[in-house]
Amino acid sequence: MQTENKQPIDRSTLKEIIYYATLAPSGHNTQPWLFTLEDNSITITPDFRRHLPVVDPDDHALFISLGCALENLVIAAQHFGYGSEIRFDLDDESEKIIIELRPEEGNPDEHLFEVIAKRQSTRRNYDGKPIPAGDLEALEVAAQKDGVMFRLFTEPSEIEPLIDFVKEGNRLQFGNKDFVNELVSWIRFKKSAAESLGDGLNSASMGAPWVPQWLGKLFVKMTTSEKEAQKTADAIKSSSALMIFIAEKDDKLTWIRLGQSFERVALKATALGIKHAHVNMPCEEVSVREKMQKHLGLKGEQPLLLLRIGYAEARPRSYRRPVKEVLHSPERSSTKGWIFVGF
Ligand SMILES: Cc1cc2nc3c(=O)[nH]c(=O)nc-3n(C[C@H](O)[C@H](O)[C@H](O)COP(=O)(O)O)c2cc1C
């Protein structure tokens, strides 16, 4: 039940809610978000300084990441006793998501809140065990969102052609120097770098030893596109299923909604003990995405996220920047010249 209350919400509660939002996944763990606190609302804005020009030139992955943070924020707000009313202001001048918070009783998503900090991208081979039909249905329910289509693939005959697209995307990416350079710039090979920067992909979460930055770079640059493609194909074969998130429209609002849908599925999967990892390569390489669109019988709809799911041990978690580094002053509304507020 909703009650009117214009009392300002305690700032420490707002910051706790934002903490859970920051645990959301993001492409290369760039965490491309900024949050503005007001008395009864939180606004999310993109931080374009953290975009990925090579792998994500149209910023769709950036907006999907904002959608993931939004979903966590709404679930966490509920946990702290607040319902959310979301407004999207997505013209090119001021891209923002405004979440008005009002005291509200009842918390149907508590089981999802409980796993926000446990969810992780688990990049390792899985054990191949099938997922019970009831759990697959629960993922389908969690995925439901306006403008977003969701498909699951469990049969080897459905998965095999998708592996070919993944391999093709993987080969293109690892054959592209700019892609490799961008990727390497976001890998924290050394523990001290991962800890102090609090972002990026880190060696431990990818199952590699901590090494000096120069050595890590050398390893990545020595890998061949064929080796990478085979490694990813083997990882998919060890998985129980593939899932695809498809945007009915290619616009920012649909990208954000797709992120919300993905994050809900990722949390639901985590609650069910199911791990997930992205194999997005064919979504990121437009020439391969077009082939995949045809294969899936799509017309203008865009397959934007491809993931494998299954069962495996967890890996060490990836890092996040502290909340104080993702807050900015409400006075500033442009992406230039943020004032960072320390708390
Ligand atoms: C839009 C989006 C795209 C992503 N693409 C990839 C990808 O292509 N390959 C991959 O291994 N992980 C991908 N990820 C996973 C991120 O790297 C991961 O979320 C991030 O490193 C934080 O780690 P965590 O999910 O374990 O918290 C993607 C995540 C998002 C939200």
Side-chain angles (χ1 to χ4, degrees):
M1 205 177 61
Q2 212 162 285
T3 46
E4 261 317 309
N5 186 339
K6 284 285 160 201
Q7 285 293 312
I9 301 170
D10 187 44
R11 284 182 85 77
S12 62
T13 303
L14 291 173
K15 282 189 267 165
E16 275 223 63
I17 293 172
I18 290 171
Y19 164 72
Y20 286 100
T22 67
L23 299 183
S26 58
H28 288 10
N29 197 18
T30 53
Q31 305 163 34
W33 41 61
L34 288 163
F35 299 86
T36 307
L37 304 185
E38 275 166 283
D39 285 351
N40 298 89
S41 71
I42 298 172
T43 300
I44 307 177
T45 43
D47 184 347
F48 288 114
R49 294 168 305 181
R50 295 179 159 264
H51 89 136
L52 297 166
V54 181
V55 74
D56 185 29
D58 64 357
D59 288 325
H60 74 267
L62 184 149
F63 282 94
I64 291 174
S65 305
L66 295 189
C68 296
L70 170 64
E71 193 60 25
N72 275 10
L73 193 154
V74 169
I75 293 170
Q78 233 179 50
H79 170 80
F80 288 100
Y82 297 95
S84 301
E85 192 182 305
I86 305 167
R87 280 186 290 124
F88 297 96
D89 181 356
L90 297 171
D91 59 44
D92 287 341
E93 292 301 303
S94 68
E95 290 152 316
K96 51 188 178 204
I97 310 168
I98 303 137
I99 305 107
E100 302 278 357
L101 300 171
R102 293 216 191 88
E104 195 174 284
E105 287 170 19
N107 188 7
D109 290 336
E110 191 60 17
H111 67 297
L112 299 183
F113 174 78
E114 281 165 8
V115 296
I116 287 179
K118 279 196 206 142
R119 186 214 55 79
Q120 62 163 235
S121 309
T122 309
R123 296 182 193 86
R124 70 187 325 158
N125 284 2
Y126 297 170
D127 70 7
K129 254 179 37 198
I131 298 173
D135 289 359
L136 292 173
E137 269 166 40
L139 299 185
E140 270 167 344
V141 171
Q144 285 171 16
K145 194 88 193 158
D146 276 355
V148 181
M149 293 154 65
F150 175 73
R151 294 202 195 161
L152 273 169
F153 303 89
T154 52
E155 294 303 318
S157 61
E158 303 172 311
I159 292 174
E160 207 52 51
L162 296 173
I163 293 181
D164 290 339
F165 293 131
V166 170
K167 285 170 91 172
E168 189 178 343
N170 223 331
R171 283 192 201 103
L172 283 173
Q173 291 187 328
F174 275 83
N176 174 356
K177 241 181 167 176
D178 293 338
F179 171 88
V180 175
N181 286 337
E182 182 177 83
L183 174 67
V184 163
S185 75
W186 283 98
I187 303 182
R188 314 299 175 221
F189 295 100
K190 219 174 147 182
K191 193 169 188 194
S192 57
E195 284 172 347
S196 63
L197 293 167
D199 62 8
L201 304 158
N202 76 68
S203 298
S205 70
M206 293 191 290
W210 295 108
V211 291
Q213 194 75 6
W214 66 267
L215 187 58
K217 278 186 187 173
L218 194 68
F219 282 148
V220 176
K221 292 191 174 181
M222 271 168 43
T223 190
T224 66
S225 55
E226 203 44 54
K227 251 199 242 164
E228 275 305 310
Q230 198 48 51
K231 208 167 84 186
T232 315
D234 292 343
I236 295 176
K237 285 181 187 153
S238 77
S239 307
S240 317
L242 284 177
M243 56 185 192
I244 296 192
F245 292 82
I246 300 161
E248 286 181 3
K249 288 192 190 155
D250 208 17
D251 61 20
K252 291 176 219 166
L253 179 59
T254 314
W255 297 338
I256 293 170
R257 288 196 167 134
L258 190 142
Q260 288 184 271
S261 165
F262 157 52
E263 180 62 357
R264 253 190 121 69
V265 170
L267 292 174
K268 187 75 198 180
T270 306
L272 294 168
I274 301 165
K275 298 288 194 295
H276 64 274
H278 291 257
V279 280
N280 274 343
M281 308 75 178
C283 306
E284 292 162 351
E285 290 296 320
V286 173
S287 61
V288 190
R289 195 199 296 171
E290 283 167 3
K291 289 186 197 170
M292 197 164 66
Q293 258 175 322
K294 251 199 194 150
H295 171 78
L296 296 171
L298 303 171
K299 298 207 165 73
E301 303 93 340
Q302 304 290 323
L304 294 184
L305 290 184
L306 175 61
L307 291 105
R308 59 189 182 93
I309 53 176
Y311 301 98
E313 290 296 310
R315 276 255 155 92
R317 283 195 48 77
S318 59
Y319 289 78
R320 294 295 186 276
R321 291 172 296 153
V323 168
K324 66 177 196 283
E325 286 188 27
V326 295
L327 294 179
H328 76 85
S329 152
E331 290 83 45
R332 293 288 181 97
S333 59
S334 108
T335 40
K336 292 177 198 124
W338 297 109
I339 299 174
F340 290 97
V341 187
F343 288 87

